[in-house]
Amino acid sequence: MSTPNIVVLGTGMAGFGAAHRLHREGIAPVMYDKNAYYGGHTMSFRYESGFLFDVGPHISFTKDSRIQDLFAESVDQQYETVQISLNNYWKGYWPLHPVQLHLHGLPEETILKVISDFVEERYAPERPVNNYADWLYASFGKTFAEAFPMQYTRKYHLTTAENMSTDWLGPRIYRPSLEEVLRGALSASAPHTHYITHFRYPSGGGFRLYLNKFVPMGNIKLNHELTSVDPRTRELKFSNGTVTQYDSLVSSVPLPDLIRMIDGAPQDVVDAARRLACSTCILVNIGVNREDLSNAHMTYFYDEDICFTRLGFPHMLSAQNAPPGTGNIQAEVYFSDKYKPLTGAPEDWIEPVIRDLRRCGLLREDDQILCSKAMLLKYANIIFDLERADALKTVHGYLDDIGIAYCGRYGDWGYMWTDESFKSGELAAERALSAVVSSI
Ligand SMILES: Cc1cc2nc3c(=O)[nH]c(=O)nc-3n(C[C@H](O)[C@H](O)[C@H](O)COP(=O)(O)OP(=O)(O)OC[C@H]3O[C@@H](n4cnc5c(N)ncnc54)[C@H](O)[C@@H]3O)c2cc1C
């Protein structure tokens, strides 16, 4: 029997997860990517100035020992294991993360209101939870819910908590006991509680190195932007004129783009794909002539008048991410086609970011900016609005019918970390393999 022609669309974690699974069957799939580089969201870039930035802050905190081992092999065991440090910025205060466990230092009036609402909520009759706002009120009480997570939701998810479901929460937002809230309000050194405690990061060369082991497992074709899929003839067309056939197809291409490219996709499926919401992110990458910029690896920003939602400090992940004695900051500024369309070019956000870094005191007037770049991430975070579940069912149902094995953050359309995207690619490869076997 000849080797089946299983084609993989995308060379991110999901695409390489698929290649890894197919490798076990002795298959080296052809992998197409529109970019001039492989890696998708797990790429890292080093600028001429010597500063390295990942495509958004990337750390590996998977608890799956199989994936931990695979990533460790990719970097020849050369990785840092770091205890995570996270904090928040809110109206000039810098509480530790998560804020609900670290109220200490906030204005007395705020702490009083947060605690009294929290207690009141514990004794209130149970109400149905129909959306994320209901969940937040029930978990934290009104004052905290409105001042912190609901505010952050508007900046990060770009819609209101009332318009969001709760199926993405998992362990992401910690629901504390009264004792934990009180302890964090009274003491500056309350215990650290977060679903991420430690993370691993490659010692040199950025997050991208975690892909090293998998790159030889595929026949990678870069600069190949898919433009159409004909599921009846199993033909793919690319913008550079390449036309190819497949026996079975694995795709990590974002669903709204993929559906648009499928010849003969029914109108209800096309409409459903249009309803899927995702954030777009402008990453502003700044290099500074000192390294003592922050004690935290990441900081969350709640205030509407600060343009960025989150900051990361790549030099704190690995000393090799910045030249000696310098530091780097990566700011995330969020938009969404559906809820807050992008304004201006990515570079237009460099000045506002630097201005806000100064306003909150992270940059000093005498700091020298050694590097300032901006990058557009068209697809960043899936928005779990109330339309998502139904629309996704329609889109996935159709792809199942025409035998396209979708995978990854933008194929599964979920809140997935790198390990989950990788495993999703492996599972999609299994579906593609069984589709080939059943059609023989
Ligand atoms: C800001 C941010 C921070 C994150 N931080 C973390 C973190 O700290 N830890 C963690 O584990 N995860 C993190 N993640 C999640 C992680 O990035 C994803 O789970 C993972 O990278 C998704 O991999 P993927 O292969 O599914 O998608 P992608 O990496 O996007 O791969 C899809 C590929 O398809 C290609 N493609 C798209 N359209 C076409 C087309 N028409 N033709 C050909 N090719 C096409 C793209 O170029 C891309 O290479 C973060 C994500 C973001 C956005």
Side-chain angles (χ1 to χ4, degrees):
M1 199 167 66
S2 64
T3 310
N5 173 21
I6 300 182
V7 167
V8 175
L9 298 172
T11 62
M13 272 289 164
F16 282 117
H20 179 248
R21 178 63 189 84
L22 295 172
H23 181 75
R24 268 176 45 201
E25 308 301 321
I27 300 170
V30 180
M31 301 175 73
Y32 292 99
D33 206 295
K34 65 176 182 177
N35 288 334
Y37 52 85
Y38 65 77
H41 283 76
T42 36
M43 182 54 176
S44 313
F45 295 93
R46 193 182 290 281
Y47 298 123
E48 275 173 20
S49 49
F51 292 98
L52 181 142
F53 291 90
D54 295 317
V55 181
H58 271 77
I59 54 179
S60 179
F61 43 86
T62 179
K63 295 195 167 56
D64 183 329
S65 57
R66 181 177 72 91
I67 304 290
Q68 285 176 344
D69 291 347
L70 284 171
F71 284 7
E73 284 166 34
S74 264
V75 294
D76 292 330
Q77 312 298 327
Q78 303 298 304
Y79 58 84
E80 313 289 325
T81 303
V82 186
Q83 188 179 346
I84 199 158
S85 164
L86 303 168
N87 68 0
N88 301 274
Y89 178 87
W90 179 82
K91 298 184 178 175
Y93 296 88
W94 296 89
L96 294 177
H97 198 72
V99 186
Q100 58 269 35
L101 294 181
H102 300 284
L103 297 172
H104 188 81
L106 293 180
E108 213 173 281
E109 199 51 29
T110 305
I111 298 179
L112 275 175
K113 277 199 187 140
V114 166
I115 294 178
S116 65
D117 282 6
F118 187 84
V119 172
E120 205 172 291
E121 193 58 48
R122 293 282 123 144
Y123 294 102
E126 216 168 286
R127 297 183 300 273
V129 172
N130 294 319
N131 55 46
Y132 181 40
D134 292 341
W135 186 89
L136 288 172
Y137 284 128
S139 303
F140 302 114
K142 185 172 168 15
T143 302
F144 186 86
E146 289 179 359
F148 293 98
M150 288 169 103
Q151 182 95 351
Y152 192 75
T153 294
R154 283 192 293 275
K155 286 191 81 174
Y156 190 70
H157 302 288
L158 306 147
T159 184
T160 58
E162 284 79 5
N163 186 36
M164 287 182 66
S165 60
T166 54
D167 46 345
W168 56 279
L169 283 167
R172 285 188 173 88
I173 302 187
Y174 189 72
R175 285 182 85 163
S177 64
L178 177 59
E179 192 183 320
E180 287 173 308
V181 172
L182 290 173
R183 199 183 293 282
L186 292 169
S187 159
S189 54
H192 175 94
T193 308
H194 192 254
Y195 69 101
I196 307 171
T197 53
H198 289 79
F199 65 85
R200 289 180 178 183
Y201 188 84
S203 297
F207 198 88
R208 176 186 78 91
L209 296 190
Y210 278 146
L211 295 174
N212 276 355
K213 182 180 168 73
F214 316 112
V215 174
M217 295 177 182
N219 173 8
I220 299 173
K221 308 265 186 210
L222 301 175
N223 297 310
H224 277 71
E225 179 175 15
L226 180 77
T227 51
S228 87
V229 181
D230 187 333
R232 282 151 307 163
T233 56
R234 297 186 190 176
E235 186 179 84
L236 305 174
K237 288 191 183 139
F238 297 85
S239 62
N240 61 9
T242 303
V243 179
T244 191
Q245 306 287 133
Y246 63 87
D247 292 334
S248 206
L249 186 62
V250 172
S251 172
S252 60
V253 171
L255 294 179
D257 295 345
L258 179 68
I259 294 296
R260 235 188 351 258
M261 291 176 212
I262 299 179
D263 296 347
Q267 195 55 44
D268 66 316
V269 175
V270 173
D271 292 343
R274 282 203 196 109
R275 292 204 301 277
L276 296 174
C278 189
S279 61
T280 289
C281 180
I282 303 284
L283 294 169
V284 174
N285 298 331
I286 308 279
V288 187
N289 67 332
R290 68 184 166 92
E291 55 192 324
D292 58 339
L293 296 164
S294 170
N295 294 323
H297 298 106
M298 252 180 257
T299 304
Y300 303 90
F301 287 78
Y302 297 75
D303 305 352
E304 311 250 14
D305 64 341
I306 299 270
C307 65
F308 39 81
T309 304
R310 200 163 60 163
L311 292 181
F313 300 89
H315 66 289
M316 292 178 63
L317 307 181
S318 158
Q320 293 185 45
N321 283 354
T326 67
N328 36 357
I329 307 175
Q330 184 173 61
E332 294 163 63
V333 186
Y334 281 100
F335 300 91
S336 149
D337 281 355
K338 188 167 173 181
Y339 294 111
K340 184 187 175 195
L342 170 65
T343 51
E347 290 69 27
D348 295 343
W349 288 93
I350 294 176
E351 267 320 302
V353 163
I354 292 175
R355 177 202 65 207
D356 288 349
L357 285 171
R358 291 212 168 98
R359 279 179 55 216
C360 67
L362 276 170
L363 278 184
R364 302 179 195 139
E365 281 309 318
D366 61 345
D367 279 335
Q368 248 179 290
I369 309 284
L370 305 176
C371 158
S372 58
K373 304 270 185 195
M375 184 189 282
L376 173 71
L377 258 187
K378 181 168 181 238
Y379 289 96
N381 301 304
I382 305 307
I383 300 174
F384 281 65
D385 64 12
L386 297 178
E387 288 197 300
R388 174 185 167 276
D390 269 357
L392 192 58
K393 206 165 145 202
T394 303
V395 171
H396 277 169
Y398 170 65
L399 292 176
D400 289 337
D401 288 348
I402 60 170
I404 295 182
Y406 46 85
C407 58
R409 184 177 255 222
Y410 310 99
D412 286 347
W413 206 255
Y415 204 149
M416 297 159 72
W417 302 120
T418 45
D419 54 331
E420 297 168 310
S421 294
F422 185 85
K423 287 191 275 190
S424 156
E426 290 181 313
L427 289 175
E430 273 172 23
R431 297 202 301 278
L433 279 165
S434 31
V436 176
V437 171
S438 59
S439 69
I440 290 172

